Amino acid sequence: MKWLTVCLSLLVSPVLAEEVVLGLSQDQVAITADFDGSEILLFGAVKREEPIAAEPLEVVIAVSGPQSPLTVRRKERKFGIWINTDAVEIDAAPSFYAVATSAPFSEVISNVEDQRHKVSIPRAIRSVGAPMDVLDAQSFSEAVIRIRTAEGSYQLRENAIQFDQQTLFRTSIKMPANLTEGDYSTRIFLTREGRVVSQFETVINVNKVGLERWLFDLSRNQPLIYGLMSLAIAIAAGWMASAAFQLLRRG
């Protein structure tokens, strides 16, 4: 009976011929007062149970920051002033999203697999519906992508993964200074002829530390004290600037 159970488990969960073995230069990013961004090195290898197949493998790596809903508004100039006209609720959009590939994106993963695993930047943004009176709702999601790409928060890095001898791969992901605190999901896909043959997932943790952490906690837990302290700092800065100006005038 035990032998039968083992056989059935092997049939249900077959051993993969190719699997991802991943490494990270760091699995934590500390946001300090002088934080100006970070670069994460991702490297790994393909573990095989069989000889290398004739069709080449490709690698896709996607790093996604915490997701949150947001409202996208359209402004139009009417009667000489800019006013909000339409608004669309985006159900979830990652604060940071980077995709790196070993070849052009359209060659490494098919549209069907992209839809299934939500790898590309447009697929990572979830927008269920829009008001009936908004005709071009898709343009609102495109605006989010355009703005965050310009900020460096969204990145598509084609041909950025070095893949040696169909076994070892490595790349780096530039993380900007305006990172949101939280867990950053990191997914690695092995693909062949556009199909995903293996995948691996890990997490990069991003946290505020030191003065940044203390100020953040103070603003959340003691907003009155934080407000008074901010006011005092502003008054002191204004007084010092005024005193310095007076000294310069006398000099």
Side-chain angles (χ1 to χ4, degrees), residues 33-219:
D34 58 351
F35 179 77
D36 61 354
S38 180
E39 189 171 62
I40 303 294
L41 175 64
L42 300 101
F43 54 92
V46 180
K47 178 183 176 182
R48 289 186 171 86
E49 300 293 336
E50 298 177 359
I52 299 177
E55 298 82 8
L57 277 176
E58 300 293 351
V59 183
V60 184
I61 297 176
V63 180
S64 176
Q67 296 199 5
S68 61
L70 71 155
T71 301
V72 184
R73 304 183 187 277
R74 172 185 290 150
K75 291 182 178 292
E76 291 185 5
R77 190 177 181 85
K78 293 185 177 181
F79 308 110
I81 60 174
W82 290 95
I83 60 173
N84 294 325
T85 55
D86 297 322
V88 169
E89 297 286 339
I90 304 295
D91 298 276
S95 58
F96 173 85
Y97 198 80
V99 181
T101 63
S102 58
F105 187 88
S106 60
E107 297 179 11
V108 300
I109 189 166
S110 67
N111 186 57
V112 172
E113 292 284 60
D114 182 22
Q115 187 172 4
R116 178 181 302 161
H117 297 281
K118 295 178 173 55
V119 181
S120 64
I121 295 175
R123 300 285 188 193
I125 297 176
R126 188 170 72 248
S127 181
V128 175
M132 296 295 294
D133 57 340
V134 178
L135 299 179
D136 54 345
Q138 182 61 33
S139 65
F140 288 78
S141 295
E142 294 171 352
V144 174
I145 295 173
R146 184 175 63 254
I147 293 170
R148 293 191 171 179
T149 298
E151 296 173 345
S153 297
Y154 286 0
Q155 306 169 20
L156 174 58
R157 304 181 65 246
E158 297 177 299
N159 300 296
I161 299 178
Q162 298 181 14
F163 198 15
D164 301 327
Q165 304 298 319
Q166 290 283 286
T167 300
L168 303 175
F169 62 87
R170 64 187 181 278
T171 191
S172 60
I173 299 294
K174 176 65 177 177
M175 306 182 84
N178 59 340
L179 287 179
T180 300
E181 191 176 25
D183 291 336
Y184 283 61
S185 169
T186 303
R187 297 179 295 161
I188 298 87
F189 300 92
L190 291 182
T191 67
R192 175 174 284 117
E193 297 182 321
R195 294 178 292 103
V196 174
V197 298
S198 177
Q199 66 181 91
F200 180 86
E201 186 169 349
T202 187
V203 171
I204 299 172
N205 188 259
V206 176
N207 280 313
K208 295 182 176 71
V209 297
L211 179 62
E212 285 288 307
R213 165 55 61 187
W214 182 77
L215 290 173
F216 179 80
D217 290 341
L218 185 66
S219 66

